[in-house]
Amino acid sequence: MDLDVFVATHQGEWARLDALARRRRLNGEEADELVTLYQRTTGHLAKVQAAAPDPALVSRLTSLVSRARSAVTGARTNGWQDVARYYTVSFPAALYRARHWWVPVAVLSLLLTTLLAWWMATHPEVRNSLITPDQLREMTRPGGQYEAYYSDRPASSFAAQVWTNNAWIAVQCLLYGIALGIPVVYVMWTNVVNLGVGIGLMASAGRLDVFLGLLIPHGLLELTAVFVAGGLGLRLGWTVIAPGPRTRGVALAEQGRSIIGMSMGLATVLAVSGVLEAFVTPSGLPTWARIAIGVSAEVAFLLYALVLGRKAAEDGEFGDLDAADRADLQPVAG
């Protein structure tokens, strides 16, 4: 065998196989080509080993065949790489693509909370219908129930309790979407009422600054995670009503996988807010410092979702569902 002629004859095939094996995604034609070139190159390696075992060429072809085999059989990447990619690409991309749902939910919820708090603070008859004046004083006084809530338990156990409670609210929003999103609206309204009443009662006692100093350090990030969950739940509910060009079953399956993918990221966000609520909110730091920490956490999340997420989405990342897992659109009549 003339090695120089052999190499010159098959050099193009090897280069093409190497290029295909290094790609992360292939279309159907490229995948078929990869398999064909892999089989040919395996035969080339066998011929070289049998007829003219040149060490350099054998090493080169062995490496190429090994890399191509991994591409053909779908070798998995390192688990830590998958986790890193999820948090740096997939999750932010999914947040960005869902922004048309959770941003309006956030704006409407905050608007309703503000109106409810104003109504509660400026209408004594409304407050009196809920609690007695003595109860109001006990709840809003310095060291009262609203303040003691954040410091009357060990920080570590309080963080776990907060995370569990908030994660349950998020899970309800995500899962209840299947019922046309109606239960999601109820969950979000309950959240608005609890927050609006608390702000209104503290405002009526002249201690709104204290309440906001306790709420903002953790509440901005916590509420944003709940808004995201609510938006995703409503998107799932709308998918039941209007699945688009896909069949309803396919559309729901894809949105279900999307929600499963998003749940881990939201659990992480809520864990961070729980740590802030347990260790920063009741801390001895000045109010301005605690608020600065909370605002910084919120700004970081928004940059993460809307800037990093936009970049990932523009690069073609869907975040919640890889292109290989998305079914082809079902033909519909024009």
Side-chain angles (χ1 to χ4, degrees):
M1 176 187 292
D2 189 327
L3 282 182
D4 292 335
V5 174
F6 186 80
V7 171
T9 301
H10 300 292
Q11 178 68 39
E13 292 178 319
W14 299 341
R16 177 61 174 167
L17 177 61
D18 183 59
L20 292 174
R22 292 180 184 276
R23 290 187 185 178
R24 184 172 179 269
R25 293 178 181 174
L26 301 173
N27 58 33
E29 183 178 348
E30 290 171 335
D32 290 341
E33 184 182 6
L34 171 65
V35 173
T36 299
L37 290 175
Y38 164 67
Q39 293 172 338
R40 289 180 186 173
T41 305
T42 300
H44 297 161
L45 175 58
K47 288 181 181 179
V48 171
Q49 290 175 324
D54 178 73
L57 183 57
V58 169
S59 176
R60 174 187 173 188
L61 292 179
T62 299
S63 177
L64 177 58
V65 167
S66 176
R67 187 161 57 251
R69 183 186 300 113
S70 296
V72 169
T73 58
R76 294 292 298 156
T77 57
N78 182 275
W80 288 110
Q81 292 178 340
D82 289 340
V83 172
R85 188 177 187 282
Y86 171 79
Y87 283 108
T88 58
V89 178
S90 300
F91 183 49
L95 287 171
Y96 180 77
R97 290 184 179 276
R99 70 193 184 283
H100 296 304
W101 286 95
W102 61 265
V103 171
V105 167
V107 172
L108 181 60
S109 295
L110 293 176
L111 177 61
L112 291 175
T113 298
T114 301
L115 292 175
L116 181 59
W118 169 83
W119 187 50
M120 184 69 60
T122 57
H123 291 72
E125 67 279 9
V126 176
R127 296 195 301 273
N128 293 337
S129 68
L130 295 177
I131 58 175
T132 66
D134 289 340
Q135 290 175 322
L136 177 61
R137 282 191 294 271
E138 177 60 29
M139 294 176 67
T140 60
R141 67 176 176 81
Q145 294 179 18
Y146 275 124
E147 291 186 41
Y149 171 78
Y150 297 103
S151 57
D152 61 357
R153 282 156 289 180
S156 57
S157 61
F158 182 54
Q161 178 182 342
V162 167
W163 179 83
T164 302
N165 178 67
N166 292 332
W168 172 237
I169 293 175
V171 166
Q172 291 180 78
C173 291
L174 294 174
L175 297 182
Y176 289 167
I178 196 67
L180 304 181
I182 296 174
V184 178
V185 175
Y186 172 76
V187 173
M188 298 305 295
W189 172 246
T190 301
N191 191 60
V192 165
V193 170
N194 290 337
L195 183 59
V197 168
I199 294 175
L201 292 180
M202 288 293 278
S204 69
R207 307 196 71 224
L208 178 60
D209 56 335
V210 174
F211 188 79
L212 294 180
L214 293 171
L215 175 66
I216 291 177
H218 67 275
L220 293 178
L221 188 61
E222 175 185 295
L223 289 172
T224 301
V226 172
F227 295 150
V228 171
L232 292 174
L234 292 176
R235 185 177 70 171
L236 179 61
W238 183 250
T239 300
V240 178
I241 299 171
R246 305 180 189 278
T247 65
R248 183 168 282 103
V250 170
L252 286 175
E254 291 190 358
Q255 290 299 332
R257 288 194 294 269
S258 167
I259 284 178
I260 292 173
M262 294 284 280
S263 61
M264 183 173 70
L266 289 178
T268 303
V269 175
L270 288 171
V272 173
S273 71
V275 170
L276 293 176
E277 187 169 359
F279 294 94
V280 175
T281 296
S283 71
L285 292 173
T287 300
W288 66 265
R290 289 184 282 112
I291 290 178
I293 291 174
V295 171
S296 297
E298 175 68 5
V299 170
F301 177 81
L302 293 178
L303 291 175
Y304 174 80
L306 302 179
V307 177
L308 183 61
R310 178 181 180 180
K311 180 180 183 302
E314 289 176 345
D315 289 339
E317 177 66 40
F318 279 79
D320 49 17
L321 196 64
D322 286 340
D325 296 325
R326 292 194 298 273
D328 293 334
L329 293 178
Q330 175 177 316
V332 295

